[in-house]
Amino acid sequence: MPFEPVTLSGRHVELVPLSPDHGQALAEAVRDGELWRLWYTAIPSPEAMAAEIDRRLGLRAAGSMLPFTVLDGPGGRPVGMTTFMNIDAAGPRAEIGSTWYAARVQRTLLNTEAKLLLLAHTFDGLGCLAVEFRTHVMNLASRRAIERIGAKLDGVLRHHQRMPDGTLRDTCVYSVTAPEWPMVRSHLTWQLEKPR
């Protein structure tokens, strides 16, 4: 099954194919929280946003990434980016990653619904065997968010890659497998619907 550009819509979020037209709004969104300053991430600065969009679109053209702009509701404002990456069409399997959100929407229903939409597309739409999530061992907020989804830790890739500041990243690899998807779907749906 091919990973092709698609729009995924919910009540709290809409994921649309990444476009250079989103550049200015994404540059403004990344300023909310100055996310590029986090030493354990590789989030683009406002000045580097156009180059990052070009990079992701180049990887889309090569078939190894399917990037999205994250909107704060259907037809809303851009508040971040996410991707299907490390795509293995033969599996099929993929990673959900290179995700960042403006600080104002972090830890909200937007992220919960975005993950539900992405996972539903991979498992129900594309028949994936498994979906991975990867993060820096020191990115504790990301690790907690991945674990709240219901993903399981597969292991840690030690000295996996060099960070922009020269340090070596240990990467935590998590996954959800196809047999686990019904439980994870129920959990994410409950998170969206439970009384607040």
PDB file of all heavy atoms in Angstrom, residues 110-147:
ATOM      1  N   LEU A 110      -5.366  17.952  20.926  1.00  0.00           N
ATOM      2  CA  LEU A 110      -4.833  18.014  19.560  1.00  0.00           C
ATOM      3  C   LEU A 110      -3.847  16.875  19.332  1.00  0.00           C
ATOM      4  O   LEU A 110      -3.929  16.159  18.338  1.00  0.00           O
ATOM      5  CB  LEU A 110      -4.169  19.369  19.321  1.00  0.00           C
ATOM      6  CG  LEU A 110      -3.498  19.566  17.960  1.00  0.00           C
ATOM      7  CD1 LEU A 110      -3.724  20.996  17.476  1.00  0.00           C
ATOM      8  CD2 LEU A 110      -2.009  19.274  18.019  1.00  0.00           C
ATOM      9  N   ASN A 111      -2.886  16.690  20.233  1.00  0.00           N
ATOM     10  CA  ASN A 111      -1.881  15.636  20.050  1.00  0.00           C
ATOM     11  C   ASN A 111      -2.515  14.257  20.141  1.00  0.00           C
ATOM     12  O   ASN A 111      -2.198  13.364  19.350  1.00  0.00           O
ATOM     13  CB  ASN A 111      -0.749  15.768  21.066  1.00  0.00           C
ATOM     14  CG  ASN A 111       0.317  14.715  20.839  1.00  0.00           C
ATOM     15  OD1 ASN A 111       0.793  14.508  19.731  1.00  0.00           O
ATOM     16  ND2 ASN A 111       0.692  14.027  21.895  1.00  0.00           N
ATOM     17  N   THR A 112      -3.416  14.063  21.095  1.00  0.00           N
ATOM     18  CA  THR A 112      -4.072  12.764  21.237  1.00  0.00           C
ATOM     19  C   THR A 112      -4.798  12.391  19.948  1.00  0.00           C
ATOM     20  O   THR A 112      -4.656  11.273  19.437  1.00  0.00           O
ATOM     21  CB  THR A 112      -5.067  12.803  22.410  1.00  0.00           C
ATOM     22  OG1 THR A 112      -4.362  13.190  23.601  1.00  0.00           O
ATOM     23  CG2 THR A 112      -5.737  11.457  22.621  1.00  0.00           C
ATOM     24  N   GLU A 113      -5.560  13.353  19.412  1.00  0.00           N
ATOM     25  CA  GLU A 113      -6.315  13.059  18.199  1.00  0.00           C
ATOM     26  C   GLU A 113      -5.395  12.901  16.994  1.00  0.00           C
ATOM     27  O   GLU A 113      -5.648  12.057  16.122  1.00  0.00           O
ATOM     28  CB  GLU A 113      -7.356  14.146  17.939  1.00  0.00           C
ATOM     29  CG  GLU A 113      -8.323  13.757  16.833  1.00  0.00           C
ATOM     30  CD  GLU A 113      -9.492  14.699  16.727  1.00  0.00           C
ATOM     31  OE1 GLU A 113      -9.254  15.933  16.673  1.00  0.00           O
ATOM     32  OE2 GLU A 113     -10.634  14.215  16.700  1.00  0.00           O
ATOM     33  N   ALA A 114      -4.315  13.681  16.932  1.00  0.00           N
ATOM     34  CA  ALA A 114      -3.367  13.532  15.824  1.00  0.00           C
ATOM     35  C   ALA A 114      -2.790  12.126  15.803  1.00  0.00           C
ATOM     36  O   ALA A 114      -2.720  11.491  14.742  1.00  0.00           O
ATOM     37  CB  ALA A 114      -2.255  14.573  15.934  1.00  0.00           C
ATOM     38  N   LYS A 115      -2.404  11.614  16.961  1.00  0.00           N
ATOM     39  CA  LYS A 115      -1.846  10.261  17.013  1.00  0.00           C
ATOM     40  C   LYS A 115      -2.899   9.223  16.646  1.00  0.00           C
ATOM     41  O   LYS A 115      -2.611   8.248  15.946  1.00  0.00           O
ATOM     42  CB  LYS A 115      -1.255   9.974  18.400  1.00  0.00           C
ATOM     43  CG  LYS A 115      -0.045  10.816  18.752  1.00  0.00           C
ATOM     44  CD  LYS A 115       1.064  10.689  17.739  1.00  0.00           C
ATOM     45  CE  LYS A 115       2.335  11.410  18.135  1.00  0.00           C
ATOM     46  NZ  LYS A 115       2.277  12.862  18.003  1.00  0.00           N
ATOM     47  N   LEU A 116      -4.135   9.435  17.092  1.00  0.00           N
ATOM     48  CA  LEU A 116      -5.209   8.504  16.728  1.00  0.00           C
ATOM     49  C   LEU A 116      -5.416   8.490  15.216  1.00  0.00           C
ATOM     50  O   LEU A 116      -5.517   7.420  14.598  1.00  0.00           O
ATOM     51  CB  LEU A 116      -6.511   8.890  17.445  1.00  0.00           C
ATOM     52  CG  LEU A 116      -7.737   8.046  17.123  1.00  0.00           C
ATOM     53  CD1 LEU A 116      -7.538   6.587  17.505  1.00  0.00           C
ATOM     54  CD2 LEU A 116      -8.967   8.612  17.842  1.00  0.00           C
ATOM     55  N   LEU A 117      -5.448   9.654  14.589  1.00  0.00           N
ATOM     56  CA  LEU A 117      -5.639   9.731  13.135  1.00  0.00           C
ATOM     57  C   LEU A 117      -4.476   9.084  12.387  1.00  0.00           C
ATOM     58  O   LEU A 117      -4.685   8.339  11.410  1.00  0.00           O
ATOM     59  CB  LEU A 117      -5.782  11.185  12.704  1.00  0.00           C
ATOM     60  CG  LEU A 117      -7.058  11.905  13.152  1.00  0.00           C
ATOM     61  CD1 LEU A 117      -6.947  13.402  12.876  1.00  0.00           C
ATOM     62  CD2 LEU A 117      -8.283  11.317  12.481  1.00  0.00           C
ATOM     63  N   LEU A 118      -3.250   9.361  12.818  1.00  0.00           N
ATOM     64  CA  LEU A 118      -2.074   8.798  12.144  1.00  0.00           C
ATOM     65  C   LEU A 118      -2.022   7.282  12.285  1.00  0.00           C
ATOM     66  O   LEU A 118      -1.745   6.564  11.320  1.00  0.00           O
ATOM     67  CB  LEU A 118      -0.800   9.439  12.698  1.00  0.00           C
ATOM     68  CG  LEU A 118      -0.596  10.913  12.350  1.00  0.00           C
ATOM     69  CD1 LEU A 118       0.469  11.535  13.251  1.00  0.00           C
ATOM     70  CD2 LEU A 118      -0.222  11.077  10.879  1.00  0.00           C
ATOM     71  N   LEU A 119      -2.270   6.802  13.494  1.00  0.00           N
ATOM     72  CA  LEU A 119      -2.238   5.351  13.708  1.00  0.00           C
ATOM     73  C   LEU A 119      -3.379   4.655  12.963  1.00  0.00           C
ATOM     74  O   LEU A 119      -3.181   3.589  12.375  1.00  0.00           O
ATOM     75  CB  LEU A 119      -2.286   5.039  15.204  1.00  0.00           C
ATOM     76  CG  LEU A 119      -1.006   5.363  15.973  1.00  0.00           C
ATOM     77  CD1 LEU A 119      -1.263   5.354  17.480  1.00  0.00           C
ATOM     78  CD2 LEU A 119       0.110   4.391  15.604  1.00  0.00           C
ATOM     79  N   ALA A 120      -4.560   5.256  12.968  1.00  0.00           N
ATOM     80  CA  ALA A 120      -5.679   4.658  12.222  1.00  0.00           C
ATOM     81  C   ALA A 120      -5.344   4.571  10.742  1.00  0.00           C
ATOM     82  O   ALA A 120      -5.651   3.565  10.080  1.00  0.00           O
ATOM     83  CB  ALA A 120      -6.961   5.471  12.448  1.00  0.00           C
ATOM     84  N   HIS A 121      -4.712   5.608  10.211  1.00  0.00           N
ATOM     85  CA  HIS A 121      -4.357   5.578   8.792  1.00  0.00           C
ATOM     86  C   HIS A 121      -3.338   4.472   8.502  1.00  0.00           C
ATOM     87  O   HIS A 121      -3.475   3.754   7.507  1.00  0.00           O
ATOM     88  CB  HIS A 121      -3.803   6.937   8.361  1.00  0.00           C
ATOM     89  CG  HIS A 121      -3.547   7.033   6.886  1.00  0.00           C
ATOM     90  ND1 HIS A 121      -4.562   6.991   5.954  1.00  0.00           N
ATOM     91  CD2 HIS A 121      -2.384   7.142   6.189  1.00  0.00           C
ATOM     92  CE1 HIS A 121      -4.043   7.076   4.741  1.00  0.00           C
ATOM     93  NE2 HIS A 121      -2.726   7.159   4.853  1.00  0.00           N
ATOM     94  N   THR A 122      -2.346   4.320   9.365  1.00  0.00           N
ATOM     95  CA  THR A 122      -1.321   3.304   9.106  1.00  0.00           C
ATOM     96  C   THR A 122      -1.863   1.883   9.270  1.00  0.00           C
ATOM     97  O   THR A 122      -1.595   1.025   8.433  1.00  0.00           O
ATOM     98  CB  THR A 122      -0.090   3.487  10.018  1.00  0.00           C
ATOM     99  OG1 THR A 122      -0.504   3.510  11.379  1.00  0.00           O
ATOM    100  CG2 THR A 122       0.669   4.740   9.682  1.00  0.00           C
ATOM    101  N   PHE A 123      -2.605   1.651  10.343  1.00  0.00           N
ATOM    102  CA  PHE A 123      -3.086   0.284  10.588  1.00  0.00           C
ATOM    103  C   PHE A 123      -4.330  -0.050   9.773  1.00  0.00           C
ATOM    104  O   PHE A 123      -4.381  -1.077   9.105  1.00  0.00           O
ATOM    105  CB  PHE A 123      -3.349   0.070  12.082  1.00  0.00           C
ATOM    106  CG  PHE A 123      -2.096  -0.034  12.900  1.00  0.00           C
ATOM    107  CD1 PHE A 123      -1.815   0.894  13.881  1.00  0.00           C
ATOM    108  CD2 PHE A 123      -1.177  -1.051  12.688  1.00  0.00           C
ATOM    109  CE1 PHE A 123      -0.657   0.811  14.636  1.00  0.00           C
ATOM    110  CE2 PHE A 123      -0.009  -1.155  13.431  1.00  0.00           C
ATOM    111  CZ  PHE A 123       0.250  -0.215  14.414  1.00  0.00           C
ATOM    112  N   ASP A 124      -5.347   0.806   9.827  1.00  0.00           N
ATOM    113  CA  ASP A 124      -6.617   0.496   9.163  1.00  0.00           C
ATOM    114  C   ASP A 124      -6.570   0.798   7.669  1.00  0.00           C
ATOM    115  O   ASP A 124      -7.149   0.072   6.870  1.00  0.00           O
ATOM    116  CB  ASP A 124      -7.759   1.286   9.804  1.00  0.00           C
ATOM    117  CG  ASP A 124      -7.933   0.967  11.281  1.00  0.00           C
ATOM    118  OD1 ASP A 124      -7.552  -0.132  11.713  1.00  0.00           O
ATOM    119  OD2 ASP A 124      -8.448   1.846  12.013  1.00  0.00           O
ATOM    120  N   GLY A 125      -5.876   1.874   7.300  1.00  0.00           N
ATOM    121  CA  GLY A 125      -5.834   2.263   5.899  1.00  0.00           C
ATOM    122  C   GLY A 125      -4.748   1.595   5.091  1.00  0.00           C
ATOM    123  O   GLY A 125      -4.952   1.241   3.935  1.00  0.00           O
ATOM    124  N   LEU A 126      -3.571   1.417   5.713  1.00  0.00           N
ATOM    125  CA  LEU A 126      -2.421   0.902   4.965  1.00  0.00           C
ATOM    126  C   LEU A 126      -2.005  -0.510   5.366  1.00  0.00           C
ATOM    127  O   LEU A 126      -1.115  -1.084   4.744  1.00  0.00           O
ATOM    128  CB  LEU A 126      -1.236   1.858   5.128  1.00  0.00           C
ATOM    129  CG  LEU A 126      -1.476   3.286   4.629  1.00  0.00           C
ATOM    130  CD1 LEU A 126      -0.296   4.178   4.960  1.00  0.00           C
ATOM    131  CD2 LEU A 126      -1.746   3.284   3.129  1.00  0.00           C
ATOM    132  N   GLY A 127      -2.613  -1.056   6.412  1.00  0.00           N
ATOM    133  CA  GLY A 127      -2.302  -2.422   6.816  1.00  0.00           C
ATOM    134  C   GLY A 127      -0.912  -2.611   7.375  1.00  0.00           C
ATOM    135  O   GLY A 127      -0.303  -3.676   7.182  1.00  0.00           O
ATOM    136  N   CYS A 128      -0.398  -1.622   8.089  1.00  0.00           N
ATOM    137  CA  CYS A 128       0.959  -1.730   8.633  1.00  0.00           C
ATOM    138  C   CYS A 128       1.063  -2.823   9.691  1.00  0.00           C
ATOM    139  O   CYS A 128       0.113  -3.095  10.431  1.00  0.00           O
ATOM    140  CB  CYS A 128       1.399  -0.399   9.232  1.00  0.00           C
ATOM    141  SG  CYS A 128       1.908   0.797   7.990  1.00  0.00           S
ATOM    142  N   LEU A 129       2.242  -3.429   9.748  1.00  0.00           N
ATOM    143  CA  LEU A 129       2.548  -4.438  10.762  1.00  0.00           C
ATOM    144  C   LEU A 129       2.865  -3.797  12.100  1.00  0.00           C
ATOM    145  O   LEU A 129       2.554  -4.341  13.156  1.00  0.00           O
ATOM    146  CB  LEU A 129       3.758  -5.275  10.328  1.00  0.00           C
ATOM    147  CG  LEU A 129       3.648  -5.990   8.992  1.00  0.00           C
ATOM    148  CD1 LEU A 129       4.978  -6.621   8.617  1.00  0.00           C
ATOM    149  CD2 LEU A 129       2.546  -7.032   9.055  1.00  0.00           C
ATOM    150  N   ALA A 130       3.538  -2.641  12.046  1.00  0.00           N
ATOM    151  CA  ALA A 130       3.945  -1.935  13.259  1.00  0.00           C
ATOM    152  C   ALA A 130       4.224  -0.487  12.894  1.00  0.00           C
ATOM    153  O   ALA A 130       4.520  -0.169  11.740  1.00  0.00           O
ATOM    154  CB  ALA A 130       5.193  -2.572  13.867  1.00  0.00           C
ATOM    155  N   VAL A 131       4.120   0.377  13.903  1.00  0.00           N
ATOM    156  CA  VAL A 131       4.447   1.791  13.760  1.00  0.00           C
ATOM    157  C   VAL A 131       5.398   2.152  14.893  1.00  0.00           C
ATOM    158  O   VAL A 131       5.139   1.829  16.054  1.00  0.00           O
ATOM    159  CB  VAL A 131       3.180   2.675  13.818  1.00  0.00           C
ATOM    160  CG1 VAL A 131       3.551   4.146  13.764  1.00  0.00           C
ATOM    161  CG2 VAL A 131       2.239   2.314  12.681  1.00  0.00           C
ATOM    162  N   GLU A 132       6.499   2.797  14.539  1.00  0.00           N
ATOM    163  CA  GLU A 132       7.514   3.179  15.521  1.00  0.00           C
ATOM    164  C   GLU A 132       7.392   4.640  15.912  1.00  0.00           C
ATOM    165  O   GLU A 132       6.868   5.470  15.158  1.00  0.00           O
ATOM    166  CB  GLU A 132       8.920   2.982  14.946  1.00  0.00           C
ATOM    167  CG  GLU A 132       9.361   1.566  14.823  1.00  0.00           C
ATOM    168  CD  GLU A 132      10.816   1.466  14.360  1.00  0.00           C
ATOM    169  OE1 GLU A 132      11.509   2.501  14.218  1.00  0.00           O
ATOM    170  OE2 GLU A 132      11.258   0.329  14.133  1.00  0.00           O
ATOM    171  N   PHE A 133       7.919   4.928  17.093  1.00  0.00           N
ATOM    172  CA  PHE A 133       8.137   6.285  17.582  1.00  0.00           C
ATOM    173  C   PHE A 133       9.551   6.298  18.139  1.00  0.00           C
ATOM    174  O   PHE A 133       9.943   5.362  18.838  1.00  0.00           O
ATOM    175  CB  PHE A 133       7.161   6.644  18.713  1.00  0.00           C
ATOM    176  CG  PHE A 133       5.718   6.574  18.331  1.00  0.00           C
ATOM    177  CD1 PHE A 133       5.018   5.371  18.405  1.00  0.00           C
ATOM    178  CD2 PHE A 133       5.056   7.701  17.901  1.00  0.00           C
ATOM    179  CE1 PHE A 133       3.683   5.306  18.061  1.00  0.00           C
ATOM    180  CE2 PHE A 133       3.712   7.637  17.547  1.00  0.00           C
ATOM    181  CZ  PHE A 133       3.026   6.439  17.627  1.00  0.00           C
ATOM    182  N   ARG A 134      10.318   7.333  17.839  1.00  0.00           N
ATOM    183  CA  ARG A 134      11.683   7.436  18.348  1.00  0.00           C
ATOM    184  C   ARG A 134      11.886   8.801  18.975  1.00  0.00           C
ATOM    185  O   ARG A 134      11.366   9.796  18.486  1.00  0.00           O
ATOM    186  CB  ARG A 134      12.704   7.234  17.222  1.00  0.00           C
ATOM    187  CG  ARG A 134      12.657   5.853  16.605  1.00  0.00           C
ATOM    188  CD  ARG A 134      13.710   5.677  15.543  1.00  0.00           C
ATOM    189  NE  ARG A 134      13.677   4.322  14.999  1.00  0.00           N
ATOM    190  CZ  ARG A 134      14.707   3.741  14.416  1.00  0.00           C
ATOM    191  NH1 ARG A 134      15.838   4.397  14.264  1.00  0.00           N
ATOM    192  NH2 ARG A 134      14.600   2.516  13.964  1.00  0.00           N
ATOM    193  N   THR A 135      12.678   8.834  20.051  1.00  0.00           N
ATOM    194  CA  THR A 135      12.973  10.104  20.692  1.00  0.00           C
ATOM    195  C   THR A 135      14.289  10.011  21.444  1.00  0.00           C
ATOM    196  O   THR A 135      14.765   8.920  21.770  1.00  0.00           O
ATOM    197  CB  THR A 135      11.822  10.530  21.633  1.00  0.00           C
ATOM    198  OG1 THR A 135      12.011  11.883  22.023  1.00  0.00           O
ATOM    199  CG2 THR A 135      11.735   9.644  22.863  1.00  0.00           C
ATOM    200  N   HIS A 136      14.870  11.159  21.711  1.00  0.00           N
ATOM    201  CA  HIS A 136      16.108  11.257  22.481  1.00  0.00           C
ATOM    202  C   HIS A 136      15.856  10.730  23.892  1.00  0.00           C
ATOM    203  O   HIS A 136      14.810  11.015  24.495  1.00  0.00           O
ATOM    204  CB  HIS A 136      16.548  12.728  22.530  1.00  0.00           C
ATOM    205  CG  HIS A 136      17.950  12.949  22.974  1.00  0.00           C
ATOM    206  ND1 HIS A 136      18.385  12.632  24.239  1.00  0.00           N
ATOM    207  CD2 HIS A 136      19.020  13.482  22.325  1.00  0.00           C
ATOM    208  CE1 HIS A 136      19.661  12.960  24.363  1.00  0.00           C
ATOM    209  NE2 HIS A 136      20.068  13.465  23.210  1.00  0.00           N
ATOM    210  N   VAL A 137      16.800   9.992  24.424  1.00  0.00           N
ATOM    211  CA  VAL A 137      16.649   9.423  25.762  1.00  0.00           C
ATOM    212  C   VAL A 137      16.409  10.509  26.814  1.00  0.00           C
ATOM    213  O   VAL A 137      15.741  10.263  27.825  1.00  0.00           O
ATOM    214  CB  VAL A 137      17.876   8.537  26.120  1.00  0.00           C
ATOM    215  CG1 VAL A 137      19.119   9.393  26.374  1.00  0.00           C
ATOM    216  CG2 VAL A 137      17.582   7.629  27.300  1.00  0.00           C
ATOM    217  N   MET A 138      16.890  11.716  26.573  1.00  0.00           N
ATOM    218  CA  MET A 138      16.714  12.810  27.530  1.00  0.00           C
ATOM    219  C   MET A 138      15.441  13.618  27.303  1.00  0.00           C
ATOM    220  O   MET A 138      15.129  14.512  28.084  1.00  0.00           O
ATOM    221  CB  MET A 138      17.929  13.750  27.483  1.00  0.00           C
ATOM    222  CG  MET A 138      19.222  13.093  27.901  1.00  0.00           C
ATOM    223  SD  MET A 138      19.170  12.389  29.566  1.00  0.00           S
ATOM    224  CE  MET A 138      19.073  13.878  30.550  1.00  0.00           C
ATOM    225  N   ASN A 139      14.687  13.322  26.260  1.00  0.00           N
ATOM    226  CA  ASN A 139      13.441  14.046  25.999  1.00  0.00           C
ATOM    227  C   ASN A 139      12.321  13.367  26.794  1.00  0.00           C
ATOM    228  O   ASN A 139      11.508  12.615  26.265  1.00  0.00           O
ATOM    229  CB  ASN A 139      13.134  14.073  24.497  1.00  0.00           C
ATOM    230  CG  ASN A 139      12.024  15.037  24.159  1.00  0.00           C
ATOM    231  OD1 ASN A 139      11.251  15.438  25.017  1.00  0.00           O
ATOM    232  ND2 ASN A 139      11.934  15.392  22.889  1.00  0.00           N
ATOM    233  N   LEU A 140      12.302  13.652  28.077  1.00  0.00           N
ATOM    234  CA  LEU A 140      11.389  12.965  28.985  1.00  0.00           C
ATOM    235  C   LEU A 140       9.929  13.286  28.683  1.00  0.00           C
ATOM    236  O   LEU A 140       9.063  12.411  28.800  1.00  0.00           O
ATOM    237  CB  LEU A 140      11.734  13.305  30.436  1.00  0.00           C
ATOM    238  CG  LEU A 140      13.159  12.929  30.858  1.00  0.00           C
ATOM    239  CD1 LEU A 140      13.401  13.313  32.307  1.00  0.00           C
ATOM    240  CD2 LEU A 140      13.429  11.448  30.637  1.00  0.00           C
ATOM    241  N   ALA A 141       9.640  14.509  28.272  1.00  0.00           N
ATOM    242  CA  ALA A 141       8.253  14.859  27.932  1.00  0.00           C
ATOM    243  C   ALA A 141       7.773  14.034  26.737  1.00  0.00           C
ATOM    244  O   ALA A 141       6.645  13.520  26.734  1.00  0.00           O
ATOM    245  CB  ALA A 141       8.136  16.352  27.642  1.00  0.00           C
ATOM    246  N   SER A 142       8.610  13.884  25.731  1.00  0.00           N
ATOM    247  CA  SER A 142       8.249  13.091  24.561  1.00  0.00           C
ATOM    248  C   SER A 142       8.087  11.621  24.934  1.00  0.00           C
ATOM    249  O   SER A 142       7.146  10.956  24.487  1.00  0.00           O
ATOM    250  CB  SER A 142       9.309  13.258  23.473  1.00  0.00           C
ATOM    251  OG  SER A 142       8.987  12.480  22.344  1.00  0.00           O
ATOM    252  N   ARG A 143       8.988  11.116  25.754  1.00  0.00           N
ATOM    253  CA  ARG A 143       8.898   9.709  26.163  1.00  0.00           C
ATOM    254  C   ARG A 143       7.594   9.449  26.915  1.00  0.00           C
ATOM    255  O   ARG A 143       6.918   8.447  26.664  1.00  0.00           O
ATOM    256  CB  ARG A 143      10.098   9.327  27.021  1.00  0.00           C
ATOM    257  CG  ARG A 143      11.390   9.273  26.214  1.00  0.00           C
ATOM    258  CD  ARG A 143      12.586   8.951  27.071  1.00  0.00           C
ATOM    259  NE  ARG A 143      12.470   7.592  27.574  1.00  0.00           N
ATOM    260  CZ  ARG A 143      13.341   7.044  28.411  1.00  0.00           C
ATOM    261  NH1 ARG A 143      14.394   7.728  28.831  1.00  0.00           N
ATOM    262  NH2 ARG A 143      13.176   5.812  28.830  1.00  0.00           N
ATOM    263  N   ARG A 144       7.224  10.351  27.812  1.00  0.00           N
ATOM    264  CA  ARG A 144       5.967  10.185  28.558  1.00  0.00           C
ATOM    265  C   ARG A 144       4.768  10.232  27.610  1.00  0.00           C
ATOM    266  O   ARG A 144       3.822   9.457  27.756  1.00  0.00           O
ATOM    267  CB  ARG A 144       5.840  11.252  29.650  1.00  0.00           C
ATOM    268  CG  ARG A 144       6.711  10.971  30.872  1.00  0.00           C
ATOM    269  CD  ARG A 144       6.344  11.869  32.039  1.00  0.00           C
ATOM    270  NE  ARG A 144       6.464  13.280  31.730  1.00  0.00           N
ATOM    271  CZ  ARG A 144       7.563  14.017  31.888  1.00  0.00           C
ATOM    272  NH1 ARG A 144       8.660  13.467  32.368  1.00  0.00           N
ATOM    273  NH2 ARG A 144       7.565  15.300  31.586  1.00  0.00           N
ATOM    274  N   ALA A 145       4.801  11.143  26.635  1.00  0.00           N
ATOM    275  CA  ALA A 145       3.695  11.251  25.684  1.00  0.00           C
ATOM    276  C   ALA A 145       3.566   9.976  24.851  1.00  0.00           C
ATOM    277  O   ALA A 145       2.449   9.490  24.611  1.00  0.00           O
ATOM    278  CB  ALA A 145       3.895  12.463  24.783  1.00  0.00           C
ATOM    279  N   ILE A 146       4.686   9.423  24.420  1.00  0.00           N
ATOM    280  CA  ILE A 146       4.665   8.185  23.630  1.00  0.00           C
ATOM    281  C   ILE A 146       4.126   7.032  24.477  1.00  0.00           C
ATOM    282  O   ILE A 146       3.323   6.219  24.016  1.00  0.00           O
ATOM    283  CB  ILE A 146       6.070   7.875  23.078  1.00  0.00           C
ATOM    284  CG1 ILE A 146       6.481   8.926  22.033  1.00  0.00           C
ATOM    285  CG2 ILE A 146       6.126   6.470  22.489  1.00  0.00           C
ATOM    286  CD1 ILE A 146       7.942   8.894  21.655  1.00  0.00           C
ATOM    287  N   GLU A 147       4.556   6.966  25.724  1.00  0.00           N
ATOM    288  CA  GLU A 147       4.086   5.900  26.609  1.00  0.00           C
ATOM    289  C   GLU A 147       2.608   6.051  26.925  1.00  0.00           C
ATOM    290  O   GLU A 147       1.891   5.049  27.056  1.00  0.00           O
ATOM    291  CB  GLU A 147       4.936   5.888  27.885  1.00  0.00           C
ATOM    292  CG  GLU A 147       6.353   5.404  27.608  1.00  0.00           C
ATOM    293  CD  GLU A 147       7.336   5.673  28.740  1.00  0.00           C
ATOM    294  OE1 GLU A 147       6.917   6.223  29.804  1.00  0.00           O
ATOM    295  OE2 GLU A 147       8.520   5.338  28.573  1.00  0.00           O
TER     296      GLU A 147
END
